[in-house]
């Protein structure tokens, strides 16, 4: 089981220079749900080779699975299929609880144990291109919610929003002295993702209607 445990001795390493991925689990978990699938299969394969469990949804899960990379569909994790014409897929406590949980908070850990919520260590999301196709169904709900949740819990969860950052993200993970130590690696992930995002001036110079990052 990947469920976290308060009595896991590995949790004691929190005070020794890094928050442990997965609250004492040996296998960290990445959630991948992207509109722009550029490089996502290769990124997923590399994460898998580095020992990560992968959770994904919809077309992202199909693309990863069709490439022969092991992946768990979000529906298997939540026990619910996508509903309302795919408007509700990841909006579920087992997803957002896994992203928002603080591994240093005993109440959070107890809630996760009680409700069967497993922690998510890395969120890989990019959003619907609403600016280039402003239709009702391209108003993204689940994607921004996951990005905001990961940002709120940035001390313990990494977030990647730009496909061009994938190589730097993998370099940061491979460079970790211990693949399970998260705090320093998470900071490197954040720097790598920000380096790959367009700057404010570049965003202002985009042609009207061009898709944003």
């Amino acid at each position: 089981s990947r469920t976290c445990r308060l009595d896991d001795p590995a949790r004691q390493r929190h005070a020794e220079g890094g928050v442990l991925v997965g609250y004492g689990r040996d296998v960290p978990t990445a959630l991948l749900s992207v509109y722009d699938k550029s490089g996502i299969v290769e990124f997923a394969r590399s994460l898998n080779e580095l020992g990560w469990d992968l959770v994904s949804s919809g077309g992202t899960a199909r693309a990863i699975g069709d490439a022969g990379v092991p992946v768990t569909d979000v529906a298997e994790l939540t026990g619910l299929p996508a509903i309302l014409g795919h408007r509700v897929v990841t909006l579920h406590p087992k997803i957002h609880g896994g992203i928002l949980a603080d591994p240093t908070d005993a109440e959070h850990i107890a809630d996760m144990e009680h409700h069967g919520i497993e922690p998510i260590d890395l969120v890989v999301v990019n959003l619907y291109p609403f600016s280039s196709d402003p239709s009702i169904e391209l108003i993204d709900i689940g994607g921004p919610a996951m990005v905001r949740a990961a940002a709120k819990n940035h001390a313990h969860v990494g977030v990647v929003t730009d496909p061009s950052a994938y190589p730097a993200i993998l370099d940061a993970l491979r460079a970790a002295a211990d693949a399970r130590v998260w705090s320093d690696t998470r900071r490197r992930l954040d720097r790598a993702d920000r380096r790959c995002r367009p700057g404010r001036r570049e965003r202002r110079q985009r042609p009207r209607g061009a898709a944003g990052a």
Side-chain angles (χ1 to χ4, degrees), residues 4-18:
C4 46
R5 304 188 310 278
L6 275 172
D7 60 351
D8 194 315
R11 282 179 49 77
Q12 302 304 316
R13 286 207 248 169
H14 173 73
E16 298 174 11

Side-chain angles (χ1 to χ4, degrees), residues 13 15 22 33 67 71 73 96 111 117 126 135 138 150 158 201 206 210:
R13 286 207 248 169
S33 182
V71 62
D73 195 282
H96 285 271
D111 281 346
I117 297 171
N126 55 65
S135 63
L138 285 186
R201 179 175 299 176
R206 275 199 179 117

